[in-house]
Amino acid sequence: MDKLSDSLIGKIQGKTGIIITEALQPAIHEFINRRMKELNLSAESYSTRLEDDDTEMELLVNASTVNETYFFRDEAHYEFLQNNFFPSRSMSTVHIWCGACSTGEEPLSIHALAKQMGIETEITATDINTEVLAFFKKGIYSKKSFRTDGQKYHRYIRCISTETDGTIKINPEEIRKFHISFLNLNRETPLPFVMDSFDLIILRNVFIYFSSDLIMKILGQLWSVLKVDGILLLTTNEIAAVPENAYFEKKRDGDIYYLQKKKHIRERSIASKEDKEDMHSTDLRKIFTEKKSIEKDFLSELKFNSSKAEMTSYKDILKYIDRENYRKAEDLLSKIDFSSSNLEYMYLFTGIIKYRVEDYHEAEINFYKSSSLNQKFWPASIMLAFTYKHIGKLQKALVSFEQSLNILMEYVKNEKSCYNFTIDFDPVYIINICKKNMDEIRRIIGE
């Protein structure tokens, strides 16, 4: 049994990225034993069930997370928000993401504070534990959610709630203001948010459970969804453990430390004339005018494994794009009945057409939608990277190439067993393309 538990703990760590410490292991062992008795399963049968039953694996993951939280935890952080952060952004809606929201005390504290200050907020709250998200949506709390730490702000929670016999119930209309959803930070694909979405990301007491490699990977993804002047708020100990990197700069305000998003000189939507001239030798404008362009090589590598009718239509679209007959390609695209299972192709082909006619804004939007719909769909993620590179968003291009590379490396490592692609391709070829472009961008930005 111990051997089985150790094996399952390894699977939990692989799925969530959470390092299961010795202190956490007894509780996980206890949960496994209890579930085996409830289901009347042997150790081997339970292990098989976890492989086949996503719901059962979800229960195991839920049992593996630490959910310690309370209202206005680390009071000094809320003083920083009140005295520094919110006043600097009082002229517009402040977009915030709580990346490990647990049972909701943290996002509710931020919301309550902002409301008292007259600040309009839009808060996204995510967690990997589905049980705590369900708890948050109910909005019912006991007195244990209130501690001495944060005490001076407790009255703000009472302004958005009612109390009965020691039970605090957040007003339903306040709960409805949050975007509450499941999200696993241990991912090889882009975060499901629009680039430059958030003014503030709060991810406290999370990195202490992750490896240094995973932390750096997550920092790159957080960088991509923060606004130019956005900040990332961690605990002081976590910030101290974050090494110097290309994404964030450590800042201090009194006793509070936070991470400020770095903005490279070339990280702007419209590059200067000098920048564009400097980049023409390395961007896609030159590459796409060559007889054997990278994009054409990509398109020739696509071997669709969909139905025969779909495959024929896809090939026809690619044929018209290759011949620069974009009107015909768009006409054929409009006649295909795309479903939720293949909608990423519609956005991919639309993006390629927009890229070819130099409508880079629309190309960026379509490639992003495609990669968000199917986060293992390498053609969309890598074309998004090329688009960023061409328009001068080099840091975003670097992040996107790195994400595409990670998808492919994992794909090769697992011998295609962990992916559900509808296309086939030569991964070594694409991996080399990613590495070449990453090296090229790093030389340009001086990393």
Side-chain angles (χ1 to χ4, degrees), residues 360-417:
Y360 302 118
H361 176 68
E362 286 299 317
E364 177 184 349
I365 292 173
N366 279 278
F367 291 142
Y368 184 81
K369 286 181 178 179
S370 181
S371 62
S372 297
L373 282 169
N374 182 349
Q375 296 182 343
K376 300 295 185 182
F377 192 36
W378 74 266
S381 63
I382 203 167
M383 287 304 298
L384 180 62
F386 280 132
T387 304
Y388 285 143
K389 182 181 176 186
H390 182 80
I391 62 180
K393 296 183 177 182
L394 296 186
Q395 280 285 9
K396 287 185 178 180
L398 183 59
V399 171
S400 294
F401 277 122
E402 184 176 5
Q403 289 167 346
S404 300
L405 178 62
N406 288 333
I407 294 171
L408 288 158
M409 294 293 285
E410 189 69 18
Y411 181 80
V412 172
K413 177 182 176 182
N414 288 279
E415 297 180 348
K416 301 185 180 181
S417 62

Side-chain angles (χ1 to χ4, degrees), residues 253-268:
D253 183 87
D255 294 331
I256 296 299
Y257 292 85
Y258 59 93
L259 297 180
Q260 179 85 49
K261 177 176 178 175
K262 287 184 179 179
K263 180 179 181 295
H264 194 273
I265 189 171
R266 282 193 173 88
E267 184 55 36
R268 45 184 176 262

Side-chain angles (χ1 to χ4, degrees), residues 123-268:
I123 302 178
T124 298
T126 66
D127 202 282
I128 195 173
N129 187 319
T130 55
E131 290 180 359
V132 298
L133 293 174
F135 187 102
F136 181 11
K137 290 176 182 178
K138 291 179 181 178
I140 300 174
Y141 299 90
S142 67
K143 289 186 176 180
K144 74 175 185 179
S145 291
F146 297 87
R147 313 283 175 86
T148 302
D149 178 29
Q151 185 173 321
K152 77 174 187 178
Y153 292 112
H154 287 173
R155 65 186 186 278
Y156 296 161
I157 294 297
R158 293 184 172 87
C159 293
I160 60 170
S161 65
T162 57
E163 182 176 356
T164 305
D165 297 328
T167 298
I168 307 297
K169 181 174 176 57
I170 305 299
N171 299 334
E173 63 270 21
E174 302 294 341
I175 295 292
R176 287 193 292 268
K177 293 177 181 179
F178 294 87
H179 305 289
I180 306 171
S181 64
F182 169 88
L183 192 142
N184 185 354
L185 292 169
N186 182 31
R187 56 199 300 118
E188 300 293 347
T189 54
L191 290 166
F193 306 121
V194 175
M195 300 296 181
D196 304 324
S197 296
F198 301 107
D199 299 280
L200 170 68
I201 296 176
I202 300 183
L203 203 61
R204 302 184 299 171
N205 299 295
V206 175
F207 282 176
I208 57 175
Y209 299 107
F210 289 160
S211 68
S212 57
D213 287 344
L214 180 55
I215 289 171
M216 291 306 299
K217 184 184 295 184
I218 292 173
L219 285 175
Q221 295 203 335
L222 299 180
W223 182 94
S224 69
V225 298
L226 263 178
K227 292 182 180 179
V228 172
D229 59 346
I231 70 170
L232 171 60
L233 198 58
L234 311 174
T235 65
T236 301
N237 289 339
E238 287 172 316
I239 288 180
V242 171
E244 292 297 321
N245 60 84
Y247 306 114
F248 292 96
E249 181 180 0
K250 295 179 182 179
K251 295 282 189 177
R252 181 179 180 180
D253 183 87
D255 294 331
I256 296 299
Y257 292 85
Y258 59 93
L259 297 180
Q260 179 85 49
K261 177 176 178 175
K262 287 184 179 179
K263 180 179 181 295
H264 194 273
I265 189 171
R266 282 193 173 88
E267 184 55 36
R268 45 184 176 262

Side-chain angles (χ1 to χ4, degrees), residues 9-20 57-58 60-62 64-65 128-129 182-187 206 209-211 214 218:
I9 285 174
K11 290 181 180 180
I12 295 168
Q13 292 183 165
K15 185 177 182 67
T16 66
I18 297 171
I19 298 173
I20 307 297
M57 177 56 79
E58 179 182 303
L60 182 57
V61 170
N62 288 347
S64 307
T65 61
I128 195 173
N129 187 319
F182 169 88
L183 192 142
N184 185 354
L185 292 169
N186 182 31
R187 56 199 300 118
V206 175
Y209 299 107
F210 289 160
S211 68
L214 180 55
I218 292 173

